[in-house]
Amino acid sequence: MALKILLLGFNRSYSNPTAETIQRCFANVGRLIYFGPGYSSSAELEWGLEKYLDKNQDIDFLVTDSYVFESDKIIKRKNPFSADFIRFLPSQYAQFALQYRDVFYKYSKPKILIANWDTYGISHEMVDRVIQSNCYIMDPGFSLQKPLEEILSIFGPGAYGTDNWYNLSMEYKHKFIAVPHTLLSSEFDHRNLNSRPDLFNVIGTGYPERKKAKELLPFLKKLDDLKARFISKYHFHFRSTMSYMDVTLHQSSYMNKISESKFCYCSGGPWMYPVRKYFEIPARGSVSIGWPCLGAEHIGIIDGLNFIKATSNEDIVRILDSYNEEKHQSIASAGRQLMWTKHSEFARTSQIRESLHKILTNQFKGSYWHDGEYKHF
């Protein structure tokens, strides 16, 4: 019998589609039902979440994300949806978010928090909330993280943050579902390197190492990057939300930059985190080059096989100057194959299904990644 999963949240789209792809996996596992502004009818919203749950006692899992779990913090932001296209009235967030958070805390049946937040910036208070809620945690970085001291020894003094989340994951590993970023089939590009006009590109937020790598870009690409950053700042400061066209144009432009490039720079910022770019770049068929993320080998990313390590501009220049179509096509193809077999929507659905069934049969003791394979303790 198919599982019945209730997703509690607010209907929104963000340029990073992580939350939406996870929803697709849940929908593949069982019957996914949505509750919240932008999903539910006015009558359902007025009726209330608690009454809805009382009526639907056959729900196997209640699932939510950070926009419900840390809603008190989000409400205080100046423009909490400046980077989102939202399908509900902004006033509905303040109206319902805290109520949903409290219901999630108190819910006694199996429940899952999708931890789509900055784990190295999590406060003691938020960690305490996670513990007290007794929820399972779906975390893209679990089993890949390191204590801050170890990160500093590798990356240098640019790293900052706390060990709050790392300590939680070590003590409560039996509650963690290790789900790295997931790719839809539509995100894969099978174009060969020989048909890509650009040799090298750098995408994403301006982490220090990315800014350094951008020094190698031609003048016109630097100009495009400056324009993109100006538009982003405009949205943040002067617009309360984005339009659906804004989000889709950003996503398509971003993906096209990767598809047009033979090599694309990849890094995880000061925390060396396994951000989505480690998955998107090889899925689009470009050679992923840059800093290995923490635990790269555990999710299958291996230097020289499907990734090229380059921790300085000198490394990048040396590798670009030695471009060999046959050699580097092999690396690009291996990266795309890894993403398809281990990190696509189809692969992730199977992994999540296995974990959810273990939870329901009291066999779940946590999951993790090791040598490119999804495993359970």
Side-chain angles (χ1 to χ4, degrees), residues 140-178:
F142 177 66
S143 77
L144 311 176
Q145 297 181 94
K146 300 288 184 185
L148 187 61
E149 183 179 1
E150 190 168 335
I151 296 173
L152 288 168
S153 70
I154 301 170
F155 191 85
Y160 59 93
T162 73
D163 284 328
N164 294 339
W165 192 257
Y166 172 78
N167 293 336
L168 173 73
S169 68
M170 294 298 101
E171 186 175 354
Y172 289 87
K173 64 182 180 181
H174 59 286
K175 304 290 282 188
F176 274 73
I177 309 169

Coordinates of all heavy atoms in Angstrom, one line a residue, residues 140-178:
P140 N 21.2 17.4 3.4 CA 22.1 17.1 2.3 C 23.5 16.9 2.6 O 24.3 16.3 1.8 CB 21.9 18.3 1.4 CG 21.4 19.4 2.3 CD 20.6 18.7 3.3
G141 N 24.0 17.3 3.8 CA 25.4 17.2 4.1 C 25.7 16.2 5.2 O 26.9 16.0 5.5
F142 N 24.7 15.5 5.7 CA 25.1 14.5 6.7 C 26.0 13.4 6.2 O 25.8 12.9 5.2 CB 23.8 13.9 7.3 CG 24.1 12.9 8.4 CD1 24.7 13.3 9.6 CD2 23.9 11.5 8.2 CE1 25.0 12.3 10.5 CE2 24.2 10.6 9.1 CZ 24.8 11.0 10.3
S143 N 26.9 13.1 7.1 CA 28.0 12.1 6.9 C 29.1 12.7 6.0 O 30.1 12.0 5.7 CB 27.5 10.8 6.3 OG 27.2 10.9 4.9
L144 N 28.9 14.0 5.6 CA 30.0 14.6 4.8 C 30.6 15.8 5.6 O 31.7 16.3 5.2 CB 29.4 15.2 3.5 CG 28.5 14.2 2.7 CD1 27.9 14.9 1.5 CD2 29.3 13.0 2.2
Q145 N 30.0 16.2 6.7 CA 30.4 17.4 7.4 C 31.7 17.1 8.2 O 32.0 15.9 8.5 CB 29.3 17.9 8.3 CG 28.1 18.4 7.5 CD 27.0 18.9 8.4 OE1 27.0 20.1 8.6 NE2 26.2 18.1 8.9
K146 N 32.4 18.2 8.6 CA 33.5 18.1 9.5 C 33.4 19.2 10.5 O 32.7 20.2 10.3 CB 34.8 18.3 8.7 CG 35.1 17.3 7.6 CD 35.4 15.9 8.1 CE 35.8 15.0 7.0 NZ 36.0 13.6 7.5
P147 N 34.1 19.0 11.7 CA 34.1 20.1 12.7 C 34.8 21.3 12.1 O 35.7 21.2 11.2 CB 34.9 19.5 13.9 CG 35.6 18.4 13.3 CD 34.9 17.8 12.1
L148 N 34.5 22.5 12.6 CA 35.0 23.7 12.1 C 36.5 23.8 12.1 O 37.2 24.3 11.2 CB 34.4 24.9 12.9 CG 34.7 26.3 12.3 CD1 34.2 26.5 10.9 CD2 34.1 27.4 13.3
E149 N 37.1 23.3 13.2 CA 38.6 23.3 13.3 C 39.2 22.5 12.2 O 40.3 23.0 11.6 CB 38.9 22.6 14.7 CG 40.4 22.6 14.9 CD 40.8 22.0 16.3 OE1 39.9 21.5 17.0 OE2 42.0 22.0 16.6
E150 N 38.6 21.4 11.7 CA 39.2 20.7 10.6 C 39.0 21.4 9.3 O 39.9 21.4 8.5 CB 38.5 19.3 10.5 CG 39.2 18.4 9.6 CD 38.8 16.9 9.7 OE1 38.3 16.6 10.8 OE2 38.9 16.2 8.7
I151 N 37.9 22.1 9.1 CA 37.7 22.9 7.9 C 38.8 24.0 7.9 O 39.3 24.3 6.8 CB 36.3 23.5 7.9 CG1 35.3 22.4 7.8 CG2 36.1 24.5 6.7 CD1 33.8 22.8 8.0
L152 N 39.0 24.7 9.0 CA 40.0 25.8 9.0 C 41.4 25.3 8.7 O 42.1 26.0 8.0 CB 40.0 26.4 10.4 CG 38.8 27.3 10.9 CD1 38.9 27.6 12.3 CD2 38.8 28.6 10.1
S153 N 41.7 24.0 9.0 CA 43.0 23.5 8.7 C 43.2 23.2 7.2 O 44.3 23.2 6.7 CB 43.2 22.2 9.5 OG 42.4 21.2 9.0
I154 N 42.0 23.0 6.5 CA 42.1 22.8 5.1 C 41.9 24.0 4.3 O 42.7 24.3 3.4 CB 41.0 21.7 4.7 CG1 41.1 20.4 5.5 CG2 41.0 21.5 3.2 CD1 40.0 19.5 5.3
F155 N 40.9 24.8 4.6 CA 40.5 25.9 3.8 C 41.2 27.2 4.1 O 41.4 28.1 3.3 CB 39.0 26.1 3.8 CG 38.4 27.0 2.8 CD1 38.1 26.6 1.5 CD2 38.2 28.4 3.1 CE1 37.6 27.5 0.6 CE2 37.7 29.3 2.2 CZ 37.4 28.8 0.9
G156 N 41.5 27.3 5.4 CA 42.1 28.5 5.9 C 41.2 29.4 6.7 O 40.0 29.0 7.0
P157 N 41.6 30.6 7.1 CA 40.9 31.4 8.1 C 39.6 32.0 7.5 O 38.8 32.7 8.2 CB 41.8 32.5 8.4 CG 42.8 32.6 7.3 CD 42.9 31.2 6.8
G158 N 39.3 31.8 6.2 CA 38.0 32.3 5.6 C 36.8 31.6 6.2 O 35.7 32.1 6.1
A159 N 37.0 30.4 6.7 CA 35.8 29.6 7.2 C 35.4 30.2 8.6 O 36.2 30.7 9.4 CB 36.2 28.2 7.4
Y160 N 34.1 30.2 8.8 CA 33.5 30.7 10.1 C 32.2 29.9 10.3 O 31.7 29.2 9.5 CB 33.3 32.2 10.0 CG 32.3 32.6 8.9 CD1 31.0 32.7 9.2 CD2 32.8 32.8 7.6 CE1 30.1 33.1 8.1 CE2 31.9 33.2 6.6 CZ 30.6 33.3 6.9 OH 29.7 33.7 5.9
G161 N 31.7 30.1 11.5 CA 30.4 29.5 11.9 C 30.5 28.7 13.2 O 31.4 29.1 14.0
T162 N 29.7 27.7 13.4 CA 29.7 27.0 14.7 C 29.7 25.5 14.4 O 29.4 25.1 13.2 CB 28.5 27.3 15.5 OG1 27.3 26.7 14.9 CG2 28.3 28.8 15.6
D163 N 29.9 24.7 15.4 CA 29.8 23.3 15.3 C 28.5 22.7 15.8 O 28.3 21.5 16.0 CB 30.9 22.6 16.1 CG 32.3 22.7 15.4 OD1 32.3 22.7 14.1 OD2 33.3 22.8 16.1
N164 N 27.5 23.6 16.0 CA 26.2 23.2 16.6 C 25.5 22.1 15.8 O 25.1 21.1 16.3 CB 25.3 24.4 16.7 CG 25.8 25.5 17.6 OD1 26.6 25.2 18.5 ND2 25.3 26.7 17.5
W165 N 25.5 22.3 14.5 CA 24.8 21.3 13.6 C 25.6 20.0 13.5 O 25.1 18.9 13.5 CB 24.5 21.8 12.3 CG 23.5 21.0 11.5 CD1 23.8 20.1 10.4 CD2 22.1 20.9 11.6 NE1 22.7 19.5 9.9 CE2 21.6 20.0 10.7 CE3 21.2 21.5 12.5 CZ2 20.3 19.7 10.5 CZ3 19.9 21.2 12.4 CH2 19.4 20.3 11.4
Y166 N 26.9 20.2 13.4 CA 27.8 19.0 13.3 C 27.7 18.1 14.6 O 27.5 16.9 14.5 CB 29.3 19.5 13.1 CG 30.3 18.3 13.3 CD1 30.5 17.4 12.2 CD2 31.0 18.1 14.4 CE1 31.4 16.4 12.3 CE2 31.9 17.1 14.5 CZ 32.1 16.2 13.5 OH 32.9 15.2 13.6
N167 N 27.7 18.8 15.7 CA 27.5 18.1 17.0 C 26.2 17.3 17.1 O 26.1 16.2 17.6 CB 27.7 19.0 18.2 CG 29.1 19.6 18.3 OD1 30.1 19.0 17.8 ND2 29.3 20.7 18.9
L168 N 25.1 18.0 16.6 CA 23.8 17.4 16.6 C 23.8 16.1 15.7 O 23.3 15.1 16.1 CB 22.8 18.4 16.1 CG 21.4 17.8 15.8 CD1 20.6 17.6 17.2 CD2 20.5 18.7 14.9
S169 N 24.4 16.2 14.6 CA 24.4 15.1 13.6 C 25.2 13.9 14.1 O 24.9 12.8 13.8 CB 25.0 15.6 12.3 OG 26.4 15.9 12.3
M170 N 26.2 14.2 15.0 CA 27.0 13.1 15.5 C 26.3 12.4 16.7 O 26.3 11.2 16.8 CB 28.4 13.7 16.1 CG 29.3 14.2 15.0 SD 29.8 12.9 13.8 CE 28.7 13.3 12.4
E171 N 25.6 13.2 17.5 CA 24.9 12.7 18.6 C 23.5 12.0 18.3 O 23.1 11.0 18.9 CB 24.6 13.8 19.7 CG 24.0 13.2 21.0 CD 23.9 14.3 22.0 OE1 24.3 15.4 21.8 OE2 23.3 14.0 23.1
Y172 N 22.9 12.6 17.2 CA 21.6 12.1 16.8 C 21.6 11.5 15.4 O 20.6 11.7 14.6 CB 20.5 13.2 16.9 CG 20.2 13.6 18.3 CD1 21.0 14.5 19.0 CD2 19.1 13.0 19.0 CE1 20.7 14.9 20.3 CE2 18.8 13.4 20.3 CZ 19.6 14.3 20.9 OH 19.3 14.7 22.2
K173 N 22.7 10.8 15.0 CA 22.8 10.3 13.7 C 21.7 9.3 13.4 O 21.3 9.1 12.2 CB 24.1 9.7 13.5 CG 24.4 8.4 14.3 CD 25.9 7.9 14.0 CE 26.2 6.7 14.9 NZ 27.6 6.2 14.6
H174 N 21.1 8.7 14.4 CA 19.9 7.8 14.2 C 18.7 8.5 13.6 O 17.7 7.8 13.2 CB 19.6 7.0 15.5 CG 19.3 7.9 16.6 ND1 20.2 8.7 17.3 CD2 18.0 8.2 17.2 CE1 19.6 9.4 18.2 NE2 18.3 9.1 18.2
K175 N 18.7 9.8 13.7 CA 17.5 10.6 13.2 C 17.8 11.2 11.8 O 16.9 11.8 11.2 CB 17.2 11.7 14.2 CG 16.9 11.2 15.6 CD 15.6 10.4 15.7 CE 14.4 11.3 15.7 NZ 13.2 10.6 15.9
F176 N 19.0 11.1 11.3 CA 19.4 11.8 10.0 C 19.2 10.9 8.8 O 19.7 9.7 8.7 CB 20.8 12.2 10.1 CG 21.0 13.6 10.8 CD1 20.8 13.7 12.2 CD2 21.3 14.7 10.0 CE1 21.0 14.9 12.8 CE2 21.4 15.9 10.7 CZ 21.3 16.0 12.0
I177 N 18.5 11.4 7.8 CA 18.3 10.8 6.5 C 19.3 11.6 5.6 O 19.0 12.8 5.3 CB 16.9 10.9 6.0 CG1 15.9 10.3 7.1 CG2 16.7 10.1 4.7 CD1 14.4 10.6 6.7
A178 N 20.3 10.9 5.1 CA 21.3 11.6 4.3 C 20.9 11.7 2.8 O 21.0 10.8 2.1 CB 22.6 10.9 4.4

